[in-house]
């Protein structure tokens, strides 16, 4: 039986962050997920960290993405079995209700949900960042006003991602591959 949500987590030499990211998925109140960890041939202890998680919902893929993270994300999308895809960067963590809350919104005939984030790190104060509202995510608004979505805050229909061929792997979009994808998704309704 296929999971409802496929979580795509690309990583590269983030062994020190990875346990918290993976644990935040395992601790979700919504448990019908699979986690697709896409390791960009890490040279740190990433493999050891991944071996420490014995959850059968976790699947590991190796890749050499040549600095193009879109290749890692697309490998995850191509192997995803869920109706929805959520993205989690390896240095991020989710609140336990993230998937439950996002899925409750998606079941209202939506194809994509993006929520706010709390940025926490080092000596910096916590910074709460809100995305949206939905009218800011039209293709026109995205082009004229800039990106208003964050990859780790998005859950989207897998069919919609496949319909636009996922993230662009063209080198000119490195660091903006998510923004370019949101524009194409908006143009595709």
């Amino acid at each position: 039986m296929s999971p409802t949500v496929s979580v795509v987590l690309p990583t590269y030499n983030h062994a020190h962050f990875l346990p918290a990211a993976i644990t935040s998925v395992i601790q979700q109140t919504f448990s019908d997920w699979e986690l697709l960890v896409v390791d960009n041939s890490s040279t740190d202890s990433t493999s050891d960290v991944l071996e420490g998680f014995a959850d059968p919902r976790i699947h590991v893929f190796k890749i050499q993405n040549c600095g193009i993270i879109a290749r890692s994300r697309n490998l995850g999308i191509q192997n995803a079995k869920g109706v929805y895809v959520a993205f989690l960067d390896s240095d991020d963590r989710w609140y336990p209700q993230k998937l439950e809350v996002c899925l409750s919104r998606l079941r209202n005939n939506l194809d994509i949900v993006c929520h706010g984030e709390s940025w926490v790190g080092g000596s910096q104060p916590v910074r709460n960042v809100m995305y949206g509202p939905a009218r800011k995510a039209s293709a026109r608004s995205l082009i004229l006003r800039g990106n208003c979505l964050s990859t780790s805050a998005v859950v989207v229909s897998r069919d919609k991602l496949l319909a636009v061929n996922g993230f662009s792997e063209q080198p000119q979009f490195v660091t903006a591959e998510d923004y370019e994808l949101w524009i194409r998704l908006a143009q595709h309704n």
Side-chain angles (χ1 to χ4, degrees), residues 106-151:
L106 285 163
R107 290 186 176 128
N108 292 325
N109 278 340
L110 298 176
D111 296 314
I112 186 169
V113 168
C114 183
H115 54 75
E117 296 176 320
S118 294
W119 293 2
V120 180
S123 60
Q124 301 294 328
V126 173
R127 181 173 156 215
N128 292 316
V129 180
M130 299 308 293
Y131 301 103
R135 68 183 174 342
K136 285 186 177 180
S138 70
R140 178 178 171 77
S141 185
L142 283 165
I143 291 168
L144 295 176
R145 296 181 181 208
N147 194 0
C148 68
L149 304 171
S150 171
T151 309

Side-chain angles (χ1 to χ4, degrees), residues 65-77:
N65 70 22
C66 302
I68 300 176
I69 195 169
R71 287 183 182 151
S72 294
R73 293 190 203 284
N74 285 339
L75 179 62
I77 293 166

Side-chain angles (χ1 to χ4, degrees), residues 83 156-164:
V83 175
V156 60
S157 161
R158 185 175 118 251
D159 289 344
K160 295 295 180 184
L161 288 170
L162 294 173
V164 298

Side-chain angles (χ1 to χ4, degrees), residues 12-81:
Y12 175 69
N13 285 347
H14 270 179
H16 54 294
F17 293 120
L18 206 48
I22 293 172
T23 299
S24 79
V25 176
I26 292 170
Q27 293 177 342
Q28 289 297 298
T29 56
F30 181 85
S31 61
D32 187 23
W33 52 261
E34 67 175 346
L35 174 60
L36 309 170
V37 180
V38 183
D39 179 17
N40 183 29
S41 301
S42 294
T43 57
D44 65 358
S45 60
T46 292
S47 291
D48 295 332
V49 169
L50 293 171
E51 288 174 11
F53 289 93
D55 194 310
R57 298 172 294 179
I58 300 174
H59 312 284
V60 178
F61 300 87
K62 297 275 190 180
I63 191 173
Q64 288 190 343
N65 70 22
C66 302
I68 300 176
I69 195 169
R71 287 183 182 151
S72 294
R73 293 190 203 284
N74 285 339
L75 179 62
I77 293 166
Q78 290 160 5
N79 286 280
K81 295 180 179 89

